[in-house]
Amino acid sequence: GLDGSGAFAIESPSSLGGLKADGYKALNPQGLMPLMQLSSGQAIYESDTIARYVIDAFSDASPSFTPSTPDARALDNLIVRLHDVYLVAIQACMYKATPPFGKFQSRWEALAELKKQVRIIHDLVSEEGPYLTGAEIAHSDAALFPTMVFMQHMLPKYMQPGWEWKEEEAFGPKLVRWWKHMTGSVPAAQRVFEEIEGALKGWDEKGRWDTILHAGRKDAAEATIFDKIISKEIPSEVVYEDERCLVFKDINPVAPVHMLVIPKRREGLTQLRHSVQDHDYILGHLLRVASEQGKAALGENGYRVVINDGADAAQSVFHLHLHVI
């Protein structure tokens, strides 16, 4: 916050007992970072609000961060809005141990949405540069840059076996050009990069990602016949399909109705015993679909839903599947 002379004093939330402590929440009821306490005692929070206050209060000591034309200002506001509403809301999918990630229960789906929103922002970026809206540094540059530091460090961890990290594929050429300018030619951005990157390397050393699905915990098991059925390399009698699962008739039925319900992305679920909280969304989805397909096939008659876990329990394909019999 600001002391009586107007100088900045930077403190950890632990000085107030931590983010969830009563003292901290009395100033920021959201219990989140950041928080700024003004010399008057008034507390303000949310990054954009704090940034705009600092720029306004210290206008004689910094750029205005406000583009000089109406069109550039509109673009600046739009990029900030997209960042704050659609990226910040789900960026925890890169580092949070368990779901939810904003509106997403699936880490994989949240990562896909993150990539989509990055490309939407990319398409808005000025062709001329070097900043997001053109020749002048703006609020959008200050908003997106810290998030970009996170993404540059974390997203490569989510490359699966056989994949290759490609910066331009992830961010697009205009954002890559902007990133290189910010980290190579803007001293303030360089300091922000060093501060955040240092903290992230500390997370690396502490094994932050070791247990996170798709980052430290990758599905390295061998592919199965189900992968070929999902990709349509092998024909099957499909009963139902959506973006998450596939239902098809068992080729060796033990009853007049015998269907298999499988996730399209195995995500480490070779067996039920390997499920973690990240899998809650798909386990619930598979059960609901099994229920719907059982009722569709048998009406009011009864049926069994069976999961074999391990070779000792007669599991022959190590890609989680539900039998509807």
Side-chain angles (χ1 to χ4, degrees), residues 31 40 169 208 291 304 314:
S40 64
E169 184 179 299
R208 173 79 181 220
S291 168
R304 287 187 294 143

Side-chain angles (χ1 to χ4, degrees), residues 226-273:
F226 287 174
D227 293 282
K228 294 184 177 181
I229 290 174
I230 292 167
S231 65
K232 306 298 193 285
E233 294 178 54
I234 293 178
S236 63
E237 194 169 345
V238 175
V239 177
Y240 172 82
E241 181 175 7
D242 61 28
E243 71 280 0
R244 291 178 172 175
C245 74
L246 185 71
V247 183
F248 55 94
K249 293 184 178 181
D250 196 306
I251 59 172
N252 296 306
V254 299
V257 173
H258 187 172
M259 299 175 286
L260 299 180
V261 184
I262 68 172
K264 286 185 171 180
R265 294 186 304 274
R266 188 171 60 181
E267 298 189 88
L269 279 176
T270 53
Q271 297 176 237
L272 181 62
R273 71 182 60 202

